[in-house]
Amino acid sequence: MAISAKFSLKSLTKIPKPNVLRTPIANLLTNPSKSHLKFTPNFKSSSLSHFTTIPVSKPKSKSGTHFRNLTVRSLFTGIVEELGEVEQLGVSSDGGFDMKIRAKTVLQDVHFGDSIAVNGTCLTVTEFGEEDFTVGLSPETLRKTSLSELEPGSLVNLERAVQPTSRMGGHFVQGHVDGTGQIMSMVPEKDSLWIKVKADRNLLKYVVPKGFIAVDGTSLTVVDVFEDEECFTFMLVEYTQQKVVIPLKKVGQKVNLEVDILGKYVERLLSIGFVDSIKNLR
C-alpha cells in the first residue's frame, strides 16, 4: 500500500547524502514514526518515482506497459511556457517523493518519460492526466535546488524540452541546477523590476555582465556583477513579470541557478593546458 502525504519538503534537505545504495532515506520514509519528517496523509501518491541519482529500471505506466530506464539528456531555452500549480506532494511506495503539478500548455503533447523543467530543474514525467502531471524528486534534487521550499499551492515555472524544430528564444539551458541563490532585494523602476541575487563564489565566477543565466529556469541577461557583495543583478520587464514565478517570491527566498555552460568549458580547457598544447603545434 502506498505511503502518501502532504508535507513541506524543506526538512528533507538535511538528510545525509547516501554513500551507497543502502541509503537510510527509504527506511525513514517507510517508518515515519522513527524519522524527523512530519506529515499528515491525505492523498494517494503516484506509484512511480524517478531518481536522478539512483536509476530506476522499468517503471510501469498506467496501462501496465514498461518503458526504458529514464536517462534523458534534454535541452531547454529558458523561455517559460506557463506557470503551473503544485497540487500534491507525497512519499511514494518506492521510497521516493512525488510531486503532482496542475498545468495546461505543457500537457498538449506530453508522453511518459518526457522531460519538463520545473523552476529550471529537469524532471521526468512519470504520470499524467488531462489537467496535471506527476514527476519524481530524489533526495539529492531536494538538497541541491529550491524545490525543497515548495508546498501545495506554490506556483512554478514550466518549460518542455525543445525539439529540433523549436525556436531558440533564450540560451542553452540543460535543466541541471548548479546551485541556489538568495534574493537580496527587489526594487521597482517604473514598470520594470530590479532583482539582486546573492550566489556562492564558485558560481559567481561564471556570471558576467550582459551574459546569460537561468534563474528558476528563466533565461535572463545579467546586468551587473558585484564581487564584494557576491551578488549579481538582472531586470524583469513588465511582460516577463506576468509570466514567471520570480516576482512572486520574497526577499530572502531561494532561486535555482544554472550558469552558462560555455564558461565551464572554457575553464576546463584552460585547466588542462589546452592553450599551451595549441601553441606547441605551431
Short mmCIF file of all heavy atoms in Angstrom, two decimals, residues 60-111:
data_model
loop_
_atom_site.label_atom_id
_atom_site.label_comp_id
_atom_site.label_asym_id
_atom_site.label_seq_id
_atom_site.Cartn_x
_atom_site.Cartn_y
_atom_site.Cartn_z
N LYS A 60 6.42 1.31 -14.47
CA LYS A 60 5.23 0.98 -15.26
C LYS A 60 4.36 2.20 -15.49
O LYS A 60 4.23 3.06 -14.64
CB LYS A 60 4.40 -0.09 -14.55
CG LYS A 60 5.07 -1.45 -14.49
CD LYS A 60 4.15 -2.46 -13.84
CE LYS A 60 4.79 -3.84 -13.80
NZ LYS A 60 3.88 -4.82 -13.17
N SER A 61 3.75 2.25 -16.64
CA SER A 61 2.75 3.27 -16.93
C SER A 61 1.40 2.78 -16.42
O SER A 61 1.27 1.65 -15.95
CB SER A 61 2.68 3.53 -18.44
OG SER A 61 2.15 2.39 -19.08
N LYS A 62 0.39 3.60 -16.52
CA LYS A 62 -0.94 3.22 -16.05
C LYS A 62 -1.47 2.00 -16.79
O LYS A 62 -2.23 1.21 -16.27
CB LYS A 62 -1.91 4.39 -16.23
CG LYS A 62 -1.70 5.51 -15.22
CD LYS A 62 -2.73 6.60 -15.45
CE LYS A 62 -2.60 7.68 -14.40
NZ LYS A 62 -3.56 8.76 -14.61
N SER A 63 -1.07 1.85 -18.06
CA SER A 63 -1.55 0.74 -18.85
C SER A 63 -0.85 -0.57 -18.51
O SER A 63 -1.22 -1.63 -18.99
CB SER A 63 -1.34 1.04 -20.35
OG SER A 63 0.04 1.18 -20.61
N GLY A 64 0.20 -0.49 -17.66
CA GLY A 64 0.92 -1.68 -17.27
C GLY A 64 2.11 -1.98 -18.14
O GLY A 64 2.87 -2.90 -17.88
N THR A 65 2.30 -1.22 -19.21
CA THR A 65 3.43 -1.43 -20.09
C THR A 65 4.67 -0.80 -19.50
O THR A 65 4.60 0.13 -18.71
CB THR A 65 3.18 -0.84 -21.48
OG1 THR A 65 2.91 0.56 -21.32
CG2 THR A 65 1.99 -1.49 -22.15
N HIS A 66 5.85 -1.31 -19.89
CA HIS A 66 7.11 -0.81 -19.37
C HIS A 66 7.73 0.17 -20.35
O HIS A 66 7.53 0.08 -21.55
CB HIS A 66 8.10 -1.97 -19.15
CG HIS A 66 7.68 -2.89 -18.06
ND1 HIS A 66 7.91 -2.63 -16.74
CD2 HIS A 66 7.03 -4.08 -18.10
CE1 HIS A 66 7.44 -3.62 -15.99
NE2 HIS A 66 6.90 -4.52 -16.81
N PHE A 67 8.49 1.13 -19.83
CA PHE A 67 9.34 1.93 -20.69
C PHE A 67 10.74 1.93 -20.12
O PHE A 67 10.96 1.64 -18.95
CB PHE A 67 8.81 3.36 -20.88
CG PHE A 67 8.61 4.14 -19.62
CD1 PHE A 67 9.61 4.96 -19.12
CD2 PHE A 67 7.40 4.08 -18.94
CE1 PHE A 67 9.43 5.68 -17.97
CE2 PHE A 67 7.22 4.82 -17.77
CZ PHE A 67 8.23 5.62 -17.30
N ARG A 68 11.72 2.22 -20.94
CA ARG A 68 13.12 2.02 -20.58
C ARG A 68 13.56 2.95 -19.45
O ARG A 68 12.93 3.95 -19.15
CB ARG A 68 14.02 2.24 -21.81
CG ARG A 68 13.82 1.16 -22.86
CD ARG A 68 14.79 1.37 -24.01
NE ARG A 68 14.63 0.36 -25.02
CZ ARG A 68 15.24 -0.82 -24.98
NH1 ARG A 68 16.03 -1.10 -23.97
NH2 ARG A 68 15.04 -1.70 -25.93
N ASN A 69 14.68 2.60 -18.85
CA ASN A 69 15.28 3.41 -17.80
C ASN A 69 15.42 4.86 -18.26
O ASN A 69 15.89 5.13 -19.37
CB ASN A 69 16.66 2.84 -17.46
CG ASN A 69 17.29 3.56 -16.30
OD1 ASN A 69 16.58 4.05 -15.43
ND2 ASN A 69 18.60 3.63 -16.29
N LEU A 70 15.01 5.79 -17.41
CA LEU A 70 14.90 7.18 -17.81
C LEU A 70 16.23 7.92 -17.67
O LEU A 70 16.48 8.58 -16.68
CB LEU A 70 13.82 7.87 -16.96
CG LEU A 70 12.46 7.20 -17.00
CD1 LEU A 70 11.50 7.93 -16.08
CD2 LEU A 70 11.92 7.13 -18.40
N THR A 71 17.09 7.78 -18.65
CA THR A 71 18.35 8.53 -18.67
C THR A 71 18.24 9.53 -19.80
O THR A 71 18.75 9.33 -20.90
CB THR A 71 19.54 7.59 -18.89
OG1 THR A 71 19.30 6.81 -20.06
CG2 THR A 71 19.71 6.65 -17.70
N VAL A 72 17.51 10.61 -19.54
CA VAL A 72 17.18 11.58 -20.57
C VAL A 72 18.16 12.74 -20.56
O VAL A 72 18.44 13.31 -19.53
CB VAL A 72 15.74 12.12 -20.36
CG1 VAL A 72 15.39 13.10 -21.46
CG2 VAL A 72 14.75 10.97 -20.34
N ARG A 73 18.67 13.06 -21.73
CA ARG A 73 19.51 14.25 -21.88
C ARG A 73 18.69 15.27 -22.67
O ARG A 73 18.42 15.06 -23.85
CB ARG A 73 20.81 13.92 -22.61
CG ARG A 73 21.71 12.97 -21.83
CD ARG A 73 22.99 12.70 -22.58
NE ARG A 73 23.86 11.82 -21.82
CZ ARG A 73 24.72 12.21 -20.89
NH1 ARG A 73 24.81 13.49 -20.60
NH2 ARG A 73 25.48 11.34 -20.24
N SER A 74 18.29 16.35 -22.01
CA SER A 74 17.36 17.29 -22.62
C SER A 74 17.97 18.68 -22.69
O SER A 74 18.94 18.99 -22.01
CB SER A 74 16.05 17.34 -21.83
OG SER A 74 15.49 16.05 -21.74
N LEU A 75 17.35 19.50 -23.53
CA LEU A 75 17.80 20.87 -23.69
C LEU A 75 16.59 21.79 -23.62
O LEU A 75 15.53 21.49 -24.16
CB LEU A 75 18.50 21.04 -25.04
CG LEU A 75 19.11 22.42 -25.34
CD1 LEU A 75 20.27 22.68 -24.39
CD2 LEU A 75 19.61 22.47 -26.78
N PHE A 76 16.78 22.92 -22.94
CA PHE A 76 15.72 23.92 -22.80
C PHE A 76 16.27 25.26 -23.27
O PHE A 76 17.46 25.41 -23.54
CB PHE A 76 15.27 24.01 -21.33
CG PHE A 76 14.83 22.69 -20.75
CD1 PHE A 76 15.74 21.84 -20.14
CD2 PHE A 76 13.51 22.30 -20.83
CE1 PHE A 76 15.35 20.62 -19.61
CE2 PHE A 76 13.09 21.08 -20.31
CZ PHE A 76 14.02 20.24 -19.70
N THR A 77 15.37 26.23 -23.38
CA THR A 77 15.79 27.56 -23.83
C THR A 77 15.68 28.61 -22.73
O THR A 77 16.19 29.72 -22.88
CB THR A 77 14.92 28.04 -25.01
OG1 THR A 77 13.57 28.22 -24.56
CG2 THR A 77 14.95 27.03 -26.15
N GLY A 78 15.01 28.28 -21.62
CA GLY A 78 14.82 29.26 -20.56
C GLY A 78 13.67 30.21 -20.82
O GLY A 78 13.50 31.20 -20.12
N ILE A 79 12.86 29.90 -21.84
CA ILE A 79 11.65 30.69 -22.12
C ILE A 79 10.48 29.95 -21.49
O ILE A 79 10.01 28.94 -22.02
CB ILE A 79 11.44 30.88 -23.63
CG1 ILE A 79 12.66 31.53 -24.26
CG2 ILE A 79 10.19 31.72 -23.87
CD1 ILE A 79 13.01 32.89 -23.69
N VAL A 80 10.01 30.44 -20.36
CA VAL A 80 8.96 29.76 -19.60
C VAL A 80 7.66 29.72 -20.41
O VAL A 80 7.23 30.74 -20.96
CB VAL A 80 8.72 30.48 -18.25
CG1 VAL A 80 7.57 29.85 -17.49
CG2 VAL A 80 10.01 30.44 -17.41
N GLU A 81 7.05 28.54 -20.47
CA GLU A 81 5.83 28.38 -21.26
C GLU A 81 4.57 28.69 -20.46
O GLU A 81 3.59 29.21 -21.00
CB GLU A 81 5.75 26.96 -21.80
CG GLU A 81 6.83 26.61 -22.80
CD GLU A 81 6.58 25.28 -23.45
OE1 GLU A 81 7.06 24.26 -22.89
OE2 GLU A 81 5.93 25.22 -24.51
N GLU A 82 4.59 28.36 -19.18
CA GLU A 82 3.42 28.65 -18.35
C GLU A 82 3.77 28.50 -16.88
O GLU A 82 4.81 27.93 -16.52
CB GLU A 82 2.25 27.73 -18.69
CG GLU A 82 2.46 26.29 -18.29
CD GLU A 82 1.21 25.43 -18.47
OE1 GLU A 82 0.11 25.91 -18.11
OE2 GLU A 82 1.34 24.30 -18.97
N LEU A 83 2.90 29.03 -16.03
CA LEU A 83 3.01 28.84 -14.59
C LEU A 83 2.11 27.68 -14.18
O LEU A 83 0.91 27.70 -14.46
CB LEU A 83 2.60 30.10 -13.84
CG LEU A 83 3.54 31.31 -13.94
CD1 LEU A 83 2.94 32.50 -13.21
CD2 LEU A 83 4.90 30.98 -13.37
N GLY A 84 2.70 26.67 -13.57
CA GLY A 84 1.92 25.55 -13.06
C GLY A 84 1.70 25.71 -11.58
O GLY A 84 2.35 26.53 -10.92
N GLU A 85 0.79 24.93 -11.03
CA GLU A 85 0.50 24.99 -9.59
C GLU A 85 0.72 23.62 -8.96
O GLU A 85 0.20 22.61 -9.44
CB GLU A 85 -0.94 25.43 -9.34
CG GLU A 85 -1.30 25.54 -7.86
CD GLU A 85 -2.73 25.98 -7.63
OE1 GLU A 85 -3.40 26.37 -8.60
OE2 GLU A 85 -3.19 25.91 -6.46
N VAL A 86 1.51 23.59 -7.90
CA VAL A 86 1.74 22.33 -7.19
C VAL A 86 0.44 21.91 -6.51
O VAL A 86 -0.14 22.66 -5.72
CB VAL A 86 2.85 22.50 -6.13
CG1 VAL A 86 3.02 21.21 -5.33
CG2 VAL A 86 4.17 22.88 -6.80
N GLU A 87 -0.02 20.71 -6.85
CA GLU A 87 -1.26 20.20 -6.27
C GLU A 87 -1.00 19.32 -5.05
O GLU A 87 -1.67 19.44 -4.04
CB GLU A 87 -2.04 19.38 -7.31
CG GLU A 87 -2.72 20.19 -8.38
CD GLU A 87 -3.63 19.32 -9.24
OE1 GLU A 87 -3.27 18.16 -9.49
OE2 GLU A 87 -4.70 19.80 -9.64
N GLN A 88 -0.05 18.40 -5.20
CA GLN A 88 0.20 17.45 -4.14
C GLN A 88 1.69 17.13 -4.04
O GLN A 88 2.41 17.16 -5.03
CB GLN A 88 -0.56 16.14 -4.40
CG GLN A 88 -2.07 16.29 -4.39
CD GLN A 88 -2.77 15.01 -4.80
OE1 GLN A 88 -2.18 14.16 -5.47
NE2 GLN A 88 -4.03 14.87 -4.42
N LEU A 89 2.12 16.84 -2.82
CA LEU A 89 3.48 16.39 -2.55
C LEU A 89 3.35 15.17 -1.66
O LEU A 89 2.58 15.18 -0.71
CB LEU A 89 4.29 17.47 -1.83
CG LEU A 89 4.53 18.78 -2.58
CD1 LEU A 89 5.05 19.83 -1.60
CD2 LEU A 89 5.55 18.58 -3.69
N GLY A 90 4.10 14.13 -1.95
CA GLY A 90 3.96 12.96 -1.10
C GLY A 90 5.08 11.96 -1.26
O GLY A 90 5.88 12.03 -2.18
N VAL A 91 5.10 11.01 -0.35
CA VAL A 91 6.06 9.93 -0.35
C VAL A 91 5.48 8.78 -1.18
O VAL A 91 4.36 8.36 -0.96
CB VAL A 91 6.35 9.45 1.08
CG1 VAL A 91 7.41 8.37 1.08
CG2 VAL A 91 6.77 10.62 1.95
N SER A 92 6.26 8.28 -2.14
CA SER A 92 5.78 7.19 -2.97
C SER A 92 6.12 5.84 -2.35
O SER A 92 6.94 5.75 -1.44
CB SER A 92 6.42 7.27 -4.37
OG SER A 92 7.78 6.88 -4.31
N SER A 93 5.51 4.80 -2.86
CA SER A 93 5.74 3.46 -2.33
C SER A 93 7.15 2.97 -2.65
O SER A 93 7.63 2.01 -2.05
CB SER A 93 4.71 2.49 -2.93
OG SER A 93 4.82 2.46 -4.35
N ASP A 94 7.83 3.62 -3.60
CA ASP A 94 9.19 3.22 -3.97
C ASP A 94 10.25 3.89 -3.11
O ASP A 94 11.44 3.74 -3.36
CB ASP A 94 9.45 3.55 -5.44
CG ASP A 94 8.53 2.77 -6.37
OD1 ASP A 94 8.18 1.63 -6.01
OD2 ASP A 94 8.16 3.30 -7.42
N GLY A 95 9.84 4.67 -2.13
CA GLY A 95 10.80 5.33 -1.26
C GLY A 95 11.26 6.67 -1.77
O GLY A 95 12.21 7.25 -1.26
N GLY A 96 10.59 7.18 -2.80
CA GLY A 96 10.94 8.48 -3.35
C GLY A 96 9.90 9.51 -2.98
O GLY A 96 9.09 9.31 -2.06
N PHE A 97 9.92 10.64 -3.68
CA PHE A 97 8.98 11.72 -3.41
C PHE A 97 8.32 12.11 -4.72
O PHE A 97 8.99 12.34 -5.72
CB PHE A 97 9.70 12.92 -2.80
CG PHE A 97 10.65 12.55 -1.72
CD1 PHE A 97 12.00 12.46 -1.96
CD2 PHE A 97 10.18 12.26 -0.45
CE1 PHE A 97 12.89 12.11 -0.97
CE2 PHE A 97 11.06 11.90 0.56
CZ PHE A 97 12.41 11.81 0.30
N ASP A 98 7.01 12.17 -4.73
CA ASP A 98 6.25 12.53 -5.92
C ASP A 98 5.69 13.93 -5.79
O ASP A 98 5.29 14.35 -4.70
CB ASP A 98 5.09 11.56 -6.14
CG ASP A 98 5.55 10.22 -6.70
OD1 ASP A 98 6.67 10.17 -7.23
OD2 ASP A 98 4.80 9.24 -6.59
N MET A 99 5.63 14.64 -6.91
CA MET A 99 5.02 15.96 -6.95
C MET A 99 4.06 16.03 -8.13
O MET A 99 4.44 15.74 -9.26
CB MET A 99 6.08 17.05 -7.08
CG MET A 99 5.50 18.46 -7.19
SD MET A 99 6.76 19.76 -6.93
CE MET A 99 7.91 19.41 -8.26
N LYS A 100 2.82 16.37 -7.85
CA LYS A 100 1.80 16.50 -8.90
C LYS A 100 1.58 17.98 -9.16
O LYS A 100 1.38 18.77 -8.23
CB LYS A 100 0.49 15.84 -8.49
CG LYS A 100 -0.60 15.92 -9.56
CD LYS A 100 -1.88 15.21 -9.11
CE LYS A 100 -1.70 13.71 -9.18
NZ LYS A 100 -3.00 13.01 -8.94
N ILE A 101 1.60 18.36 -10.44
CA ILE A 101 1.50 19.76 -10.83
C ILE A 101 0.35 19.96 -11.80
O ILE A 101 0.23 19.24 -12.80
CB ILE A 101 2.82 20.23 -11.48
CG1 ILE A 101 3.98 20.06 -10.50
CG2 ILE A 101 2.72 21.68 -11.95
CD1 ILE A 101 5.34 20.33 -11.11
N ARG A 102 -0.50 20.94 -11.52
CA ARG A 102 -1.58 21.29 -12.44
C ARG A 102 -1.02 22.17 -13.55
O ARG A 102 -0.28 23.12 -13.29
CB ARG A 102 -2.69 22.04 -11.70
CG ARG A 102 -3.85 22.50 -12.61
CD ARG A 102 -4.93 23.19 -11.78
NE ARG A 102 -5.59 22.24 -10.92
CZ ARG A 102 -6.63 21.50 -11.29
NH1 ARG A 102 -7.12 21.61 -12.53
NH2 ARG A 102 -7.19 20.66 -10.46
N ALA A 103 -1.34 21.85 -14.78
CA ALA A 103 -0.81 22.59 -15.92
C ALA A 103 -1.75 22.44 -17.10
O ALA A 103 -2.74 21.71 -17.04
CB ALA A 103 0.59 22.07 -16.29
N LYS A 104 -1.42 23.12 -18.18
CA LYS A 104 -2.25 23.06 -19.39
C LYS A 104 -1.38 22.98 -20.64
O LYS A 104 -1.42 22.01 -21.38
CB LYS A 104 -3.19 24.27 -19.47
CG LYS A 104 -4.12 24.26 -20.66
CD LYS A 104 -5.07 25.45 -20.63
CE LYS A 104 -6.02 25.43 -21.83
NZ LYS A 104 -6.94 26.61 -21.81
N THR A 105 -0.57 24.01 -20.86
CA THR A 105 0.22 24.09 -22.09
C THR A 105 1.18 22.92 -22.25
O THR A 105 1.27 22.31 -23.32
CB THR A 105 1.01 25.41 -22.13
OG1 THR A 105 0.09 26.51 -22.05
CG2 THR A 105 1.82 25.52 -23.42
N VAL A 106 1.93 22.58 -21.19
CA VAL A 106 2.95 21.54 -21.30
C VAL A 106 2.35 20.14 -21.44
O VAL A 106 3.07 19.18 -21.70
CB VAL A 106 3.92 21.57 -20.10
CG1 VAL A 106 4.65 22.90 -20.05
CG2 VAL A 106 3.19 21.30 -18.78
N LEU A 107 1.03 20.03 -21.27
CA LEU A 107 0.37 18.73 -21.41
C LEU A 107 -0.15 18.46 -22.82
O LEU A 107 -0.66 17.38 -23.09
CB LEU A 107 -0.81 18.64 -20.42
CG LEU A 107 -0.46 18.66 -18.93
CD1 LEU A 107 -1.73 18.67 -18.09
CD2 LEU A 107 0.40 17.46 -18.57
N GLN A 108 0.00 19.43 -23.70
CA GLN A 108 -0.59 19.30 -25.03
C GLN A 108 -0.06 18.11 -25.82
O GLN A 108 -0.79 17.49 -26.58
CB GLN A 108 -0.37 20.60 -25.82
CG GLN A 108 -1.17 21.77 -25.27
CD GLN A 108 -0.86 23.08 -25.97
OE1 GLN A 108 -0.04 23.12 -26.89
NE2 GLN A 108 -1.51 24.16 -25.55
N ASP A 109 1.22 17.78 -25.64
CA ASP A 109 1.78 16.65 -26.38
C ASP A 109 2.66 15.80 -25.47
O ASP A 109 3.68 15.25 -25.88
CB ASP A 109 2.59 17.13 -27.58
CG ASP A 109 3.70 18.11 -27.19
OD1 ASP A 109 3.76 18.47 -25.99
OD2 ASP A 109 4.48 18.51 -28.07
N VAL A 110 2.29 15.70 -24.19
CA VAL A 110 3.11 15.02 -23.20
C VAL A 110 3.07 13.50 -23.38
O VAL A 110 2.07 12.93 -23.83
CB VAL A 110 2.66 15.40 -21.78
CG1 VAL A 110 1.29 14.82 -21.45
CG2 VAL A 110 3.70 14.98 -20.75
N HIS A 111 4.21 12.85 -23.04
CA HIS A 111 4.31 11.39 -23.06
C HIS A 111 5.03 10.95 -21.79
O HIS A 111 5.75 11.73 -21.16
CB HIS A 111 5.09 10.90 -24.28
CG HIS A 111 4.48 11.27 -25.59
ND1 HIS A 111 4.75 12.48 -26.23
CD2 HIS A 111 3.60 10.62 -26.39
CE1 HIS A 111 4.07 12.55 -27.36
NE2 HIS A 111 3.37 11.43 -27.48
#
